[in-house]
Amino acid sequence: MKNKDLLVAALQNGSVIDHIPTDKLFTIARLLELEKFVEPVTIGNNLESSKMGKKGLIKVSGKFFTDQELSRLAVVCPNMQLTVIRDYEVVEKREIALPARLVNVVKCANPVCITNNEPMKTIFEVDKLKGLVQCHYCGKTQKIGKINLL
Amino acid sequence: MENRSIVSIADYSREKIQYLLDMAAEFERKPNRTILQGKVVATLFFEPSTRTRLSFETAANRLGARVIGFADPKITSGTKGETLKDTIKMVSNYADVIVMRHKLEGAALYASEVTNVPIINAGDGSNLHPSQTMLDLYSIYKTQGTLENLNIYMVGDLKYGRTVHSLLMSMRPYNPTFHFIAPKELEMPEEYKEYCKEKGIKYIEQQDFTEDTIADADILYMTRVQKERFSDLMEYERVKDAYILRADMLGKCRDNMKILHPLPRVNEIEYDVDDSKHAYYFQQAQNGLYAREALICDVLGITLDEIKNEK
């Protein structure tokens, strides 16, 4: 725990994504396109966690994620934690929750859906209880764990 | 401006459906009017459908509107790579209402979001076909005098048949009892059975289609069992003749029972049924005219009172 505190505290400005399941760390790293970042990025995996046993963590300097970017992460992996740091202070700490509606995040699995054939945004309604997303246009549902992102 | 498009009627209230049925009945009383004089109705058939297009165009013409549009996607700019959005935007400059048919699912909903001109969905792939549902409801209402508490038997291809799915959902307020009669491979999809459970709609599934199993039906809704729907052709050969309605199967049926079919039929209703008093599929198609007259007027904001009081 001491190590983690140090890592977080060492950021002047930026974001920390915490509580990443260890098997999802590299998926999340890929989704964030970390390879394009020029400022310092720290990636940790198999770190000790009192809640999860082991976990992953990503720390990026000078980056503040948009809701759109965070929605993509939440689809792949719910319940991760975001910490936003400005001038060494934690200004925000929250769970990265799946929104009720996903705009331009998910690709519809239905090949004859209009969204797969027209340059347009996709919209999906999220049913957290059933673990499904439903295409606003064609009505087809997909299980959250099996979604393809745009 | 409020968008009055009709993309789906599956979630329409009892009041709204009754209102449209009353409007259709008013048009049946007097199909030829001038209430749409000066209006332009566009019929954009990105996918050919002669029957539906003729019905809509007849409805528009009989109410005095002028009709523009295309019947074949090959002659449109879509083949040059124009997007649906651009086509809809362009036609919106010319027409007061757009009736559209498209092979892609969700196309009509998307079209309704990119224009202020009301859209009527005349079928989007295997998704929705509300004007067919409206004419089915009107046919049931007209022949049974009510939509309440009916035994509705759906026969044939219940997996891919969008008309049965739409009808099922639209009957939700009326306490129906459904019988789903289909081969295993074409049975009612799980999501619609789930829908029935959620909404408290009673249903019974069976595979036998005989004189006895249809004896309690008020409505027998027949659909085509198409060869191309089967992954296993042996299975098709086994069931292809099991879902054909013959006149000699009508001996025990209820006096009020009517046979509906969205048409075109191939062989699932024998021609000897046509002369039975239970056969209703041709009148059903005619009801489509009145239902579509009602839908066009409704999206244009023309009320039942205005139609009744028209000079």
Side-chain angles (χ1 to χ4, degrees):
Chain A
M1 288 305 286
K2 211 171 184 180
N3 276 347
K4 189 200 97 179
D5 288 343
L6 269 176
L7 284 166
V8 175
L11 264 183
Q12 183 181 359
N13 286 298
S15 308
V16 180
I17 296 170
D18 201 351
H19 298 162
I20 307 173
T22 52
D23 62 338
K24 292 276 172 61
L25 177 86
F26 291 99
T27 309
I28 298 293
R30 196 168 60 247
L31 279 177
L32 291 173
E33 300 183 318
L34 293 182
E35 70 277 11
K36 292 182 181 166
F37 286 32
V38 291
E39 294 206 41
V41 174
T42 312
I43 300 177
N45 207 16
N46 300 325
L47 304 174
E48 272 184 37
S49 160
S50 53
K51 268 190 192 167
M52 305 169 65
K54 288 192 170 181
K55 67 172 184 180
L57 176 144
I58 295 171
K59 188 185 73 166
V60 280
S61 290
K63 173 70 185 175
F64 303 99
F65 295 107
T66 62
D67 285 346
Q68 181 74 4
E69 287 168 321
L70 294 172
S71 295
R72 290 169 61 83
L73 305 187
V75 171
V76 174
C77 179
N79 309 325
M80 294 183 300
Q81 192 181 66
L82 173 75
T83 307
V84 180
I85 293 159
R86 290 186 194 270
D87 204 14
Y88 298 108
E89 297 282 336
V90 172
V91 294
E92 188 182 358
K93 194 166 196 165
R94 64 178 167 97
E95 191 175 284
I96 304 173
L98 200 55
R101 175 174 258 223
L102 293 164
V103 179
N104 227 22
V105 171
V106 176
K107 179 177 165 57
C108 188
N110 176 8
V112 290
C113 175
I114 183 71
T115 60
N116 285 319
N117 295 274
E118 176 91 0
M120 61 185 285
K121 289 182 175 173
T122 68
I123 300 174
F124 281 79
E125 313 294 343
V126 179
D127 185 336
K128 288 182 198 174
L129 281 179
K130 289 185 182 168
L132 298 172
V133 295
Q134 182 170 34
C135 177
H136 167 68
Y137 291 100
C138 77
K140 291 286 179 299
T141 56
Q142 299 180 58
K143 286 188 178 155
I144 286 176
K146 296 189 173 170
I147 283 172
N148 283 321
L149 295 175
L150 282 172
Chain B
M1 190 185 109
E2 181 200 4
N3 191 325
R4 300 184 56 91
S5 294
I6 296 177
V7 174
S8 165
I9 63 167
D11 55 357
Y12 271 18
S13 67
R14 177 191 286 267
E15 291 73 25
K16 177 73 181 182
I17 288 175
Q18 189 59 49
Y19 177 79
L20 291 171
L21 294 175
D22 291 345
M23 209 189 265
E26 178 63 21
F27 283 124
E28 177 163 10
R29 193 182 65 74
K30 188 183 169 199
N32 299 325
R33 296 166 187 255
T34 55
I35 199 158
L36 295 187
Q37 212 159 39
K39 302 282 187 195
V40 173
V41 174
T43 54
L44 310 186
F45 279 63
F46 298 92
E47 175 187 56
S49 173
T50 308
R51 196 175 302 272
T52 303
R53 184 175 57 83
L54 289 181
S55 180
F56 267 111
E57 293 187 353
T58 306
N61 277 305
R62 286 194 180 275
L63 297 180
R66 288 169 184 264
V67 177
I68 60 169
F70 51 82
D72 184 340
K74 285 202 282 294
I75 61 170
T76 72
S77 303
T79 52
K80 297 176 191 162
E82 186 178 51
T83 61
L84 174 62
K85 179 181 174 178
D86 287 8
T87 307
I88 295 293
K89 285 279 195 196
M90 185 270 295
V91 176
S92 297
N93 295 322
Y94 309 144
D96 299 290
V97 49
I98 296 173
V99 177
M100 66 173 277
R101 169 87 153 218
H102 206 287
K103 69 178 190 323
L104 295 173
E105 298 175 17
L109 177 58
Y110 177 59
S112 75
E113 291 175 351
V114 300
T115 178
N116 287 324
V117 172
I119 301 278
I120 298 177
N121 183 5
D124 58 337
S126 59
N127 193 27
L128 300 164
H129 195 358
S131 67
Q132 176 71 43
T133 308
M134 201 60 228
L135 78 90
D136 289 343
L137 290 175
Y138 185 58
S139 299
I140 295 171
Y141 181 69
K142 212 174 118 180
T143 58
Q144 308 298 318
T146 178
L147 293 175
E148 306 282 348
N149 308 317
L150 296 173
N151 287 340
I152 299 180
Y153 286 51
M154 296 172 160
V155 183
D157 180 357
L158 306 187
K159 184 173 179 184
Y160 298 102
R162 68 179 164 196
T163 57
V164 295
H165 303 155
S166 297
L167 181 61
L168 182 154
M169 293 197 284
S170 304
M171 287 298 294
R172 160 187 44 83
Y174 303 105
N175 189 37
T177 302
F178 287 109
H179 288 245
F180 302 144
I181 304 179
K184 193 81 188 141
E185 200 160 333
L186 297 179
E187 70 181 22
M188 185 62 78
E190 208 51 52
E191 61 187 286
Y192 292 101
K193 288 189 261 181
E194 195 58 40
Y195 179 89
C196 288
K197 284 177 200 158
E198 275 175 23
K199 307 289 179 188
I201 299 171
K202 297 182 285 294
Y203 72 86
I204 294 156
E205 285 188 286
Q206 57 200 67
Q207 289 176 16
D208 290 341
F209 182 50
T210 66
E211 183 175 8
D212 289 316
T213 59
I214 61 172
D216 286 331
D218 297 308
I219 292 291
L220 193 57
Y221 198 101
M222 300 292 299
T223 63
R224 280 194 305 285
V225 174
Q226 292 166 283
K227 190 174 179 178
E228 58 269 27
R229 300 298 193 194
F230 284 80
S231 55
D232 179 357
L233 285 182
M234 292 281 281
E235 172 72 6
Y236 170 75
E237 290 301 327
R238 198 178 65 76
V239 303
K240 69 174 183 186
D241 295 330
Y243 299 91
I244 293 176
L245 182 66
R246 303 178 312 272
D248 63 16
M249 290 166 70
L250 300 173
K252 293 183 182 171
C253 72
R254 290 183 176 181
D255 206 41
N256 61 311
M257 192 275 274
K258 293 292 180 217
I259 303 157
L260 304 186
H261 189 299
L263 302 181
R265 73 170 150 177
V266 182
N267 67 341
E268 57 280 358
I269 302 177
E270 292 272 4
Y271 292 102
D272 61 3
V273 177
D274 294 359
D275 299 327
S276 153
K277 65 173 183 174
H278 301 289
Y280 195 73
Y281 24 94
F282 295 118
Q283 293 98 312
Q284 180 189 2
Q286 189 184 22
N287 289 337
L289 173 64
Y290 314 130
R292 289 177 174 116
E293 286 184 322
L295 294 180
I296 293 172
C297 286
D298 188 57
V299 296
L300 286 168
I302 298 168
T303 65
L304 180 55
D305 282 344
E306 286 171 308
I307 293 163
K308 283 182 174 166
N309 295 330
E310 189 206 10
K311 292 275 162 22

